[in-house]
Amino acid sequence: MSIRYISSKLAQQIDEQLMNASGAFSLDQLMELAGLACAQAVAKVYNKGKYNRVLVCCGPGNQGGDGLVAARHLGMFGYKPTIYMPKPGSKDHYKRLQTQCENMSIPILPPSSSTDALSHALNSSDVILDAIFGFSFKGPVRPPFDAALKLIARSGLPIVSVDIPSGWDVETGKEGLELGEGVPVLEPDVLVSLTSPKEGVREFGGRHFLGGRFVPRSMAEKYELNLPEYAGHEQIVELPRVKL
Amino acid sequence: MSIRYISSKLAQQIDEQLMNASGAFSLDQLMELAGLACAQAVAKVYNKGKYNRVLVCCGPGNQGGDGLVAARHLGMFGYKPTIYMPKPGSKDHYKRLQTQCENMSIPILPPSSSTDALSHALNSSDVILDAIFGFSFKGPVRPPFDAALKLIARSGLPIVSVDIPSGWDVETGKEGLELGEGVPVLEPDVLVSLTSPKEGVREFGGRHFLGGRFVPRSMAEKYELNLPEYAGHEQIVELPRVKL
């Protein structure tokens, strides 16, 4: 049985069930493990000798929070992360994650509608972690993310996307959304799906990891997720590459 | 420079600073990473083929919470954990951690002042994770932990202790506390120190791991902790064995 690609609705339902009274997880716990999984995927594919400078691009929602956790762990792993976060999330946990990064002296680009700082940072980065839009993003892309996606796509740097590549529709994939005039979707080299891959990435042809080693077996069985076995104490498992 | 062994007071101060407004970590985050580190240490030393059945012994405080997180991750790693938790903690996060284990179908021994269930569980376990008392424990040992420590010590099973072996004084070590009539200290084979090792384990002669890969460099420097380098994405690092 191969792994199940899930809809936006089911993804949301699973998240809710993990965090409601009977699931009992806190957002902090799940985000910590999700962000750790993303950092591990970066470290697995891009060694810190050659790809030391990681530009972590964070949106304002929970996926941006995953990015901040990943940035902190990447710093711990010996990478040099820099954070691009033009619209910091307003929730308390997001702010705390930001402070944790600041305490580790991880540089955060100044929030600004101009993309000068981003252009400059792209020129001095080796790999990008894309934690901009998550599975609830619907388009169009608002400033400054429209200009940011153009610059990131044009940079030629390898991209690791979290859960759903930014600009892709969670169900219909890379041509499913109206992003706005000239705004490209990202074409990542690596994808880290969280909990279970989403329908929209069925034809993703790059290296594909699964993270989120916290789904109880009973929940995986209920939704027939057919999750693969993780090895040892790893927080990620690589999925077979799709032959396109 | 070798690693610093810290006092009870400094351990408390570091915990407080990590979690106050400027440290910004939540207890949930730190406990998740601490418990994951403990699970990794068990998996590193005791392979799941030969040592599949782990009896996770949890006290009522935060160290018991670390134990519950470890139990959940050990279940994810393919071990068969069982939880002995005769005095469940009353705090909300403790209860949530318990529910998370229940959702994974991890058996929890019935809370009871009798130690029959513990005796039985010891007979069908391969290794013990000792998360009973943490660095703020002062003695004497109250029921049912007095009888429990006797049974655990007598079981002959290998023991992995979290932070400070149960019954040891955090500063003066294994003969520092009045535990009560005939109550033994535990003599673990493996120790997982969290954040930084405590003064009382200076002469611990077994395999010694450090966990807690979340201490910002600035904090480690301020307190001259001289923390060792962790490898790759590991959440634990082994310390040199003490020659006694």
Side-chain angles (χ1 to χ4, degrees):
Chain A
M1 291 288 278
S2 56
I3 195 166
R4 178 168 177 190
Y5 288 76
I6 63 176
S7 66
S8 169
K9 193 178 155 194
L10 182 52
Q12 204 164 350
Q13 202 174 333
I14 289 174
D15 268 14
E16 280 166 15
Q17 287 192 19
L18 286 167
M19 287 188 278
N20 69 13
S22 70
F25 279 102
S26 68
L27 181 62
D28 275 27
Q29 284 181 286
L30 298 186
M31 207 170 257
E32 192 62 35
L33 295 174
L36 180 59
C38 295
Q40 286 188 6
V42 171
K44 181 96 179 172
V45 180
Y46 299 101
N47 78 72
K48 69 181 171 191
K50 193 167 167 200
Y51 298 91
N52 198 243
R53 301 166 303 173
V54 186
L55 185 62
V56 181
C57 298
C58 299
N62 282 345
Q63 188 166 110
D66 296 339
L68 292 173
V69 173
R72 170 163 45 81
H73 285 291
L74 285 167
M76 284 287 171
F77 298 171
Y79 288 81
K80 293 247 174 285
T82 293
I83 295 167
Y84 171 65
M85 180 183 60
K87 298 274 177 198
S90 58
K91 290 188 182 151
D92 174 63
H93 67 91
Y94 196 106
K95 289 180 186 162
R96 286 190 288 98
L97 293 172
Q98 179 179 343
T99 303
Q100 291 159 28
C101 287
E102 288 166 352
N103 288 344
M104 285 193 49
S105 308
I106 297 173
I108 300 179
L109 301 185
S112 148
S113 54
S114 145
T115 48
D116 291 354
L118 175 62
S119 294
H120 183 78
L122 286 165
N123 284 332
S124 48
S125 294
D126 304 308
V127 56
I128 293 167
L129 182 63
D130 157 34
I132 299 177
F133 299 131
F135 66 73
S136 47
F137 174 75
K138 285 291 163 209
V141 180
R142 295 205 182 81
F145 290 109
D146 51 352
L149 287 188
K150 288 180 198 173
L151 286 171
I152 291 169
R154 239 185 266 145
S155 71
L157 292 172
I159 298 174
V160 179
S161 283
V162 179
D163 213 33
I164 184 90
S166 289
W168 293 36
D169 181 77
V170 69
E171 284 168 2
T172 55
K174 64 179 157 182
E175 276 143 33
L177 294 177
E178 292 290 340
L179 299 179
E181 184 70 22
V183 180
V185 297
L186 296 187
E187 298 273 10
D189 304 83
V190 178
L191 178 64
V192 190
S193 288
L194 297 172
T195 312
S196 210
K198 312 304 171 294
E199 287 175 355
V201 301
R202 218 180 263 281
E203 305 203 343
F204 174 72
R207 289 186 71 175
H208 190 174
F209 296 87
L210 181 71
R213 198 177 183 181
F214 45 65
V215 178
R217 185 180 296 268
S218 55
M219 183 181 271
E221 284 171 359
K222 176 177 170 190
Y223 295 116
E224 299 175 331
L225 300 181
N226 304 317
L227 300 180
E229 295 282 328
Y230 290 72
H233 63 262
E234 296 297 313
Q235 294 298 310
I236 50 170
V237 54
E238 189 160 7
L239 301 178
R241 206 151 172 160
V242 172
K243 290 192 186 72
L244 297 179
Chain B
M1 291 289 279
S2 55
I3 195 167
R4 177 167 177 191
Y5 287 77
I6 63 175
S7 65
S8 168
K9 192 178 155 195
L10 182 51
Q12 205 165 348
Q13 201 173 334
I14 289 174
D15 268 14
E16 280 167 14
Q17 286 192 18
L18 286 166
M19 287 187 277
N20 69 15
S22 70
F25 279 103
S26 68
L27 180 62
D28 274 27
Q29 284 182 286
L30 298 185
M31 208 171 256
E32 193 62 36
L33 295 174
L36 180 59
C38 295
Q40 285 190 4
V42 171
K44 180 96 178 171
V45 180
Y46 299 102
N47 78 71
K48 70 181 171 190
K50 192 167 167 198
Y51 297 91
N52 198 244
R53 301 166 303 173
V54 186
L55 183 63
V56 181
C57 299
C58 299
N62 282 346
Q63 190 168 106
D66 297 338
L68 292 173
V69 173
R72 170 164 43 83
H73 285 290
L74 285 167
M76 285 286 171
F77 298 172
Y79 289 81
K80 294 245 173 286
T82 294
I83 295 167
Y84 171 65
M85 179 183 62
K87 299 273 177 198
S90 57
K91 289 188 183 151
D92 174 63
H93 67 91
Y94 197 105
K95 289 179 186 162
R96 285 191 288 101
L97 293 172
Q98 178 178 343
T99 303
Q100 291 160 25
C101 288
E102 288 165 352
N103 288 344
M104 285 194 47
S105 308
I106 297 173
I108 300 179
L109 302 185
S112 148
S113 55
S114 146
T115 47
D116 289 356
L118 175 61
S119 293
H120 183 78
L122 286 166
N123 284 332
S124 49
S125 294
D126 303 309
V127 57
I128 293 166
L129 181 63
D130 158 33
I132 300 177
F133 299 131
F135 66 73
S136 47
F137 175 74
K138 285 293 165 210
V141 180
R142 295 204 182 81
F145 291 108
D146 51 352
L149 287 189
K150 288 179 198 175
L151 286 171
I152 292 169
R154 240 185 263 147
S155 72
L157 292 172
I159 298 173
V160 178
S161 282
V162 179
D163 213 34
I164 184 90
S166 289
W168 294 35
D169 180 77
V170 68
E171 285 169 2
T172 55
K174 65 177 156 182
E175 278 143 30
L177 293 177
E178 291 290 341
L179 300 179
E181 184 71 22
V183 180
V185 295
L186 295 187
E187 299 272 11
D189 305 83
V190 177
L191 179 63
V192 190
S193 288
L194 296 172
T195 312
S196 210
K198 311 306 172 293
E199 288 175 354
V201 302
R202 217 180 261 282
E203 306 203 342
F204 174 72
R207 289 185 72 174
H208 191 174
F209 295 87
L210 181 70
R213 198 176 184 181
F214 45 65
V215 178
R217 187 179 294 266
S218 55
M219 184 182 270
E221 284 171 359
K222 176 176 169 190
Y223 295 116
E224 298 175 333
L225 300 181
N226 304 316
L227 300 180
E229 295 283 327
Y230 290 72
H233 62 261
E234 297 296 314
Q235 294 298 311
I236 52 170
V237 53
E238 188 160 7
L239 302 178
R241 206 151 172 160
V242 172
K243 290 194 185 69
L244 298 177

